[in-house]
Amino acid sequence: MTAPLHAVRVDKAGYRDHGSPEKSAQGLDSSGLASNAHEASLELEAAAAADGAANRQAIRVTLEWRDLRYSVPVGRRRQRTSRTILEGLSAVLPPGRLLAIMGPTGCGKSSLVNALAGRLPAGGTLEGEVLVNGLPRGRGFKSITAYVMQEDVMFANLTVFETLEFAARMRLPPSVSAADKMARNAFVRGVSGGERKRVNVGIELLSNPCLLLLDEPTVVATIHQPRSSIFALFDMLLVLSEGQATYYGPAAEAVEWFASCGFACSAHYNPADFFADVVAIDHRSPAAEEASKARVALLVERFNQQQRQRQQREAEQAAAVAAEDRAAMEQMNDRPSFPNSLPVEFSLLLRRAWKQQSRDRLPQVITLVQTLVLGFFLAALFSDIPSTLAGAQDELGVIFMSCMFNAMASIFASLNTFPVEAGIINRERTSKAYHVSPYYLARFLCDLPLRLAQSLLFGVIVYWIVGLKSTAGAFFIFCALTILLALASQALGVAVSAACPSEKVAFAVAPGITVILMLLGGFLVTYDSIPVWIRWLCWISHLYYAFMGLTINNFRGQSEWSCTTPATPDCTARSGDAILTRLGFEDKGMWVPFVGLACLTLGFNLAGYAVLRFTKQKFLPLTGSTAKKRA
């Protein structure tokens, strides 16, 4: 199976899509992308030089890895064992090389690329060393490296140009002019809707990386080997099997190496197909599996026999790293982690979030229709409420249903905020494109117009038809409280979505939280009736504050509500203040619900930000070299 591609081009940048979209789609297997990366490097060299490398320092990069060992736990409890994915891999890759890592499925290709990029997920053990220009990976490593993930995650409502424009503006520092940023973006053209991989590569190449790592650039899953013409473009080749190296060196010498081991490639046979067949483990029968394992063991043994000579040559290559290259890497490590200031990050993120939000028309239409239907249904159900105690109970029902509608609509509309964007955000955060705070604030602000419009539309429909307190001031207080309730509910939904690993989990957790807070809302159970040991939960219930404020707004200072006719035995008319006393709100000022909802909005947002800030994707750190430990 074709490997991920690891390419180092220290003075070439940019990416251009040639040919028609149909032609591109056929060439976008792993081999096709290799061709594109190599082709783009050659064709855009003049362009990169023309814009002065876009005012960005390009340094020569020598990448070295020593005795890399990676293992993961398998099984449970007493049956837990460790499975070795990478076993003692060492190599030096000089500047200006295109390395292809090949091998069958499960041989450790992606694990090696992720280990070199520092993106192996936590949960296993990674040992060894990765050096850049003779130095351990530092803060500057990510700023000179582009990493293309297996998954092509992008915003669905942004055009290709807008996606690349955002990447150029966000990843390039202010020293690069706007014209230069747009010039880089202009190189990418003619990308069809299905070619997300090309866009993904283009995003990474816009920053003019000195080191390019591509993880499994395969679009058509049935194509595993590159064409022989593509294979001829590779400078270096690493062939893996069962986590071990069976060959590393110039790609042009690989056929001769395998022939010297007794495995000759036919003259008209694709070398990539041949290598994949030779190092693959055949599981079709016990005999075939034993024979293939013996073949791989022979290749590994022959490769290791020459390892001393190879290591001496690689040590000379590593030692040949120029002093200026090492100094340039040290300078990169001392630079700020993020290319732009917080205001610039916020501006760019707000613009992108607004485009994504405003173009997602279906949820907006559903929200509008839902508000209209439920608003008029509730208004029709409770219209012409009489001035009786039964009517007062109906008004309380209207108020509580208004609270429930605004709360439920807002919380469930915001539950998919982070799970849907998680892949994109993790990629951009790992690349140090921006801080979490401007992203969070931009997403929050972009949700505001829809929440405001929904609450106002619902209030206009319900308030006057039902016949709640008929003063302009009471109406505006009603709208203000429902808007604050919507914002608090949105913040709670964002916090839940940030804390949940997926959209399904978020939608499973949110109803339970909503039901608990609804029971504590003051309508179904009064404050004094709630057991003392859980009564404090009312003060973190946004529904409690909203219901309190709306009932105070509607009943305080109002005249009596009479008994029904004919008179009910033992029934006495009650004033609005008496109704508030029964609910436990008689001593509450109107400022209490406003302050409570404002504090909960802020608190839920801070909780969501904290969860997002401190639950970012974690990667395995490199521990000391196992070779040093054995010594």
Side-chain angles (χ1 to χ4, degrees):
M1 179 177 177
T2 301
L5 303 176
H6 163 210
V8 179
R9 294 288 176 182
V10 297
D11 58 350
K12 305 169 181 67
Y15 183 76
R16 184 185 303 184
D17 179 14
H18 284 275
S20 66
E22 294 78 11
K23 207 170 194 178
S24 301
Q26 296 174 358
L28 263 187
D29 52 71
S30 56
S31 60
L33 196 54
S35 173
N36 291 328
H38 186 79
E39 184 182 75
S41 296
L42 295 175
E43 294 182 351
L44 293 180
E45 178 180 7
D51 68 357
N55 297 325
R56 189 177 189 274
Q57 181 182 5
I59 65 175
R60 292 170 51 87
V61 173
T62 297
L63 185 64
E64 179 182 4
W65 56 98
R66 299 176 182 174
D67 202 26
L68 277 185
R69 297 175 183 271
Y70 172 49
S71 60
V72 295
V74 293
R76 295 183 178 179
R77 297 181 181 178
R78 295 183 180 179
Q79 287 77 30
R80 174 162 291 190
T81 59
S82 179
R83 179 189 173 193
T84 299
I85 306 298
L86 302 176
E87 187 172 344
L89 298 180
S90 300
V92 175
L93 187 63
R97 297 291 192 273
L98 178 63
L99 168 66
I101 306 173
M102 298 181 59
T105 300
C107 69
K109 303 184 301 294
S110 293
S111 297
L112 175 57
V113 173
N114 290 335
L116 296 178
R119 303 203 187 197
L120 276 177
T125 302
L126 178 63
E127 299 176 320
E129 293 179 281
V130 176
L131 305 176
V132 183
N133 286 355
L135 301 173
R137 288 180 311 206
R139 186 166 57 181
F141 178 74
K142 292 180 180 179
S143 64
I144 66 166
T145 304
Y147 176 83
V148 180
M149 304 167 58
Q150 280 184 308
E151 297 82 9
D152 302 316
V153 285
M154 279 166 270
F155 286 101
N157 294 308
L158 297 183
T159 66
V160 170
F161 180 85
E162 289 168 342
T163 299
L164 295 166
E165 179 188 17
F166 173 82
R169 292 183 181 278
M170 182 61 75
R171 298 192 179 203
L172 297 175
S175 58
V176 181
S177 67
D180 286 337
K181 292 175 182 178
M182 291 302 97
R184 292 188 178 206
N185 195 9
F187 286 129
V188 185
R189 57 180 176 81
V191 183
S192 63
E195 302 304 283
R196 294 181 298 176
K197 179 62 70 177
R198 289 177 180 261
V199 180
N200 220 3
V201 175
I203 289 173
E204 300 300 331
L205 288 177
L206 281 171
S207 61
N208 192 25
C210 302
L211 180 66
L212 177 61
L213 302 166
L214 300 98
D215 186 10
E216 292 285 1
T218 304
V219 175
V220 183
T222 56
I223 300 177
H224 298 302
Q225 287 81 32
R227 302 190 306 269
S228 56
S229 59
I230 298 300
F231 180 80
L233 296 175
F234 298 149
D235 300 310
M236 303 291 289
L237 177 66
L238 172 60
V239 183
L240 295 179
S241 180
E242 302 284 291
Q244 302 179 85
T246 59
Y247 176 78
Y248 177 70
E253 301 175 7
V255 173
E256 181 180 353
W257 159 258
F258 279 91
S260 69
C261 297
F263 305 99
C265 178
S266 301
H268 301 290
Y269 201 82
N270 184 353
D273 295 334
F274 174 74
F275 300 150
D277 292 339
V278 170
V279 302
I281 303 298
D282 191 345
H283 297 283
R284 289 178 295 179
S285 67
E289 183 174 352
E290 182 178 355
S292 58
K293 286 185 176 180
R295 181 174 64 245
V296 171
L298 173 63
L299 290 170
V300 172
E301 180 181 1
R302 291 291 301 273
F303 180 75
N304 290 336
Q305 287 176 356
Q306 295 188 357
Q307 189 168 3
R308 179 176 301 178
Q309 179 181 355
R310 181 175 61 87
Q311 286 179 338
Q312 181 178 356
R313 183 172 64 251
E314 290 179 348
E316 293 173 356
Q317 291 176 339
V321 175
E324 57 267 24
D325 294 339
R326 185 186 296 267
M329 195 65 232
E330 291 176 342
Q331 183 180 1
M332 295 298 295
N333 289 334
D334 293 335
R335 286 187 175 184
S337 300
F338 298 91
N340 294 295
S341 63
L342 286 174
V344 172
E345 291 178 1
F346 173 73
S347 174
L348 295 173
L349 288 165
L350 182 63
R351 184 185 308 173
R352 182 179 72 172
W354 177 251
K355 289 179 180 179
Q356 173 71 11
Q357 180 88 345
S358 60
R359 293 172 184 174
D360 197 6
R361 300 295 175 83
L362 182 59
Q364 300 173 31
V365 173
I366 292 175
T367 298
L368 175 63
V369 173
Q370 175 183 264
T371 304
L372 289 172
V373 171
L374 292 179
F376 280 113
F377 182 81
L378 187 64
L381 188 64
F382 290 96
S383 61
D384 299 325
I385 296 178
S387 298
T388 63
L389 288 179
Q393 185 65 30
D394 289 345
E395 290 190 21
L396 287 174
V398 171
I399 291 173
F400 184 72
M401 289 306 300
S402 299
C403 293
M404 288 302 303
F405 171 78
N406 283 279
M408 298 289 284
S410 297
I411 189 172
F412 284 101
S414 58
L415 282 178
N416 62 352
T417 298
F418 295 122
V420 170
E421 300 179 0
I424 304 174
I425 305 310
N426 286 336
R427 180 189 68 194
E428 293 172 340
R429 288 181 62 191
T430 303
S431 300
K432 295 290 185 181
Y434 49 77
H435 295 79
V436 177
S437 52
Y439 165 76
Y440 191 97
L441 183 58
R443 289 295 299 130
F444 176 79
L445 292 178
C446 284
D447 286 336
L448 287 182
L450 189 58
R451 301 282 75 81
L452 294 174
Q454 185 177 31
S455 297
L456 289 173
L457 179 60
F458 181 83
V460 169
I461 295 173
V462 172
Y463 195 88
W464 299 108
I465 296 178
V466 169
L468 298 178
K469 189 176 182 179
S470 58
T471 65
F475 169 71
F476 287 121
I477 291 176
F478 178 92
C479 292
L481 285 170
T482 53
I483 289 173
L484 272 176
L485 172 62
L487 296 183
S489 302
Q490 174 195 346
L492 177 60
V494 168
V496 172
S497 69
C500 294
S502 67
E503 189 176 1
K504 290 183 179 180
V505 176
F507 275 94
V509 171
I513 297 176
T514 303
V515 168
I516 293 175
L517 298 180
M518 176 189 69
L519 292 173
L520 301 172
F523 177 72
L524 300 175
V525 182
T526 62
Y527 181 81
D528 293 333
S529 300
I530 299 174
V532 177
W533 60 277
I534 61 172
R535 193 176 293 173
W536 63 271
L537 289 173
C538 292
W539 302 106
I540 61 171
S541 171
H542 53 314
L543 289 166
Y544 176 75
Y545 287 109
F547 182 71
M548 175 200 303
L550 293 178
T551 53
I552 293 174
N553 180 58
N554 189 68
F555 290 99
R556 178 162 289 173
Q558 291 293 86
S559 59
E560 295 182 347
W561 272 266
S562 64
C563 297
T564 57
T565 303
T568 304
D570 302 325
C571 176
T572 57
R574 293 184 180 181
S575 66
D577 292 333
I579 294 175
L580 294 178
T581 300
R582 183 177 67 83
L583 295 172
F585 299 148
E586 72 280 0
D587 60 343
K588 301 297 190 298
M590 182 56 74
W591 63 271
V592 175
F594 277 98
V595 173
L597 286 172
C599 289
L600 285 181
T601 301
L602 178 60
F604 289 151
N605 274 309
L606 289 177
Y609 167 77
V611 171
L612 189 66
R613 171 68 176 80
F614 296 107
T615 58
K616 64 180 181 180
Q617 190 174 6
K618 296 181 180 179
F619 301 106
L620 275 179
L622 270 171
T623 60
S625 173
T626 54
K628 293 181 179 179
K629 292 181 179 180
R630 290 193 297 269

